[in-house]
Amino acid sequence: MKTPADLRWAVTTSFSESLRNATWADHQSAESEGYLTELMAGRLSEHQYGEMVAQHYFAYIALDGVSRELARHPVAGRFVFPELYREPALERDLATVYGPGWRERITPSASTRALVARIRATAGWPGGYIAHHYTRYLGDLSGGQFIRMELQKIYGYAKGGGVDFYFFDELGSLPRFKTEYRSRLDALELDENERQRVIGEVKLAYRLNTDVLAELFHTVRAAA
């Protein structure tokens, strides 16, 4: 049975706060995955880094493809930002890492295929699309910026290829954009069942993305 304090918390806690609080452990688990630990420690080759870029490429083709499909949707459309689309930046990064023949060198892993399938399925569910969009892009705009700076130190990349994925110059102020994004989350008119469903999808999105990193780590260890 909920106490009066529980009820006051439910009334005063915004959806964006509830979402963050309910998925914080999943977020932490993704950040501590072994592949990222090795990458940030500078223990991976440039091509081993490129394997993550390649998996991002397939995932973002799917995510931005669903964005285009839902651009006119009255709910999902509020979370469609063409200035966020990552495909061109990822193509520059892959060309920098692998050279002009990069398309022949990359394939989606099994875990990436599972992630892509789930993302594509959200074209029929706005809440699910928002869940995956939030999981990827808010991460890219937050912790992703630290990753970019470390990768620039490790591999010597400059803007123009290598880490362009992490540059969002068209957004202007990243803190301002993230504040606006969270305000749009808070403005969603969702009943409690749908709120919990979206939170559950964010948790699933974290797990699927972590699976991608785990498979990359397995590949790296197998090659050692």
Side-chain angles (χ1 to χ4, degrees), residues 53-69 84-88 90-91 94 102-103 106 108 112 115-116 119-120 129 136-137 165:
V53 180
Q55 303 315 309
H56 281 162
Y57 177 70
F58 294 112
Y60 280 89
I61 286 177
L63 183 57
D64 294 340
V66 175
S67 289
R68 292 182 178 93
E69 289 183 46
L84 286 178
Y85 293 165
R86 293 293 85 193
E87 185 176 348
L90 285 163
E91 289 181 349
L94 287 165
W102 63 268
R103 291 184 188 275
I106 66 170
T112 294
L115 172 62
V116 165
I119 290 172
R120 286 178 175 161
Y129 160 74
R136 282 300 337 174
Y137 276 117
F165 169 75

Side-chain angles (χ1 to χ4, degrees), residues 15-215:
F15 181 50
S16 61
E17 290 176 310
S18 298
L19 193 55
R20 182 181 58 196
N21 293 337
T23 61
W24 183 247
D26 305 276
H27 173 79
Q28 292 289 88
S29 177
E31 283 196 337
S32 63
E33 214 292 320
Y35 176 88
L36 286 181
T37 299
E38 294 295 295
L39 181 65
M40 293 294 94
R43 291 193 286 265
L44 300 185
S45 70
E46 187 177 11
H47 284 184
Q48 287 173 323
Y49 158 62
E51 291 171 10
M52 182 180 74
V53 180
Q55 303 315 309
H56 281 162
Y57 177 70
F58 294 112
Y60 280 89
I61 286 177
L63 183 57
D64 294 340
V66 175
S67 289
R68 292 182 178 93
E69 289 183 46
L70 296 178
R72 295 183 180 276
H73 191 280
V75 176
R78 289 184 53 76
F79 296 86
V80 173
F81 303 92
E83 58 270 37
L84 286 178
Y85 293 165
R86 293 293 85 193
E87 185 176 348
L90 285 163
E91 289 181 349
R92 291 193 298 274
D93 292 343
L94 287 165
T96 297
V97 173
Y98 291 121
W102 63 268
R103 291 184 188 275
E104 286 68 48
R105 298 197 55 161
I106 66 170
T107 56
S109 65
S111 51
T112 294
R113 290 195 296 272
L115 172 62
V116 165
R118 187 67 184 186
I119 290 172
R120 286 178 175 161
T122 67
W125 174 32
Y129 160 74
I130 292 167
H132 285 270
H133 195 275
Y134 164 85
T135 302
R136 282 300 337 174
Y137 276 117
L138 264 288
D140 299 334
L141 296 171
S142 300
Q145 299 307 298
F146 170 77
I147 291 175
R148 172 184 60 79
M149 290 185 287
E150 291 303 301
L151 291 174
Q152 287 183 287
K153 294 175 187 175
I154 293 166
Y155 300 109
Y157 294 129
K159 189 181 293 186
V163 288
D164 278 15
F165 169 75
Y166 298 102
F167 283 107
F168 293 89
D169 294 345
E170 292 185 17
L171 295 181
S173 167
L174 299 191
R176 188 182 305 120
F177 178 84
K178 288 189 290 183
T179 297
E180 171 60 23
Y181 193 102
R182 293 187 181 102
S183 73
R184 295 188 184 204
L185 287 172
D186 294 338
L188 289 169
E189 296 181 359
L190 306 177
D191 61 28
E192 186 57 27
N193 286 339
E194 184 65 3
R195 278 187 168 215
Q196 293 305 315
R197 191 180 175 205
V198 172
I199 289 172
E201 190 68 20
V202 171
K203 294 173 76 68
L204 174 60
Y206 274 121
R207 192 177 82 232
L208 291 172
N209 280 281
T210 302
D211 287 347
V212 173
L213 294 173
E215 188 169 353

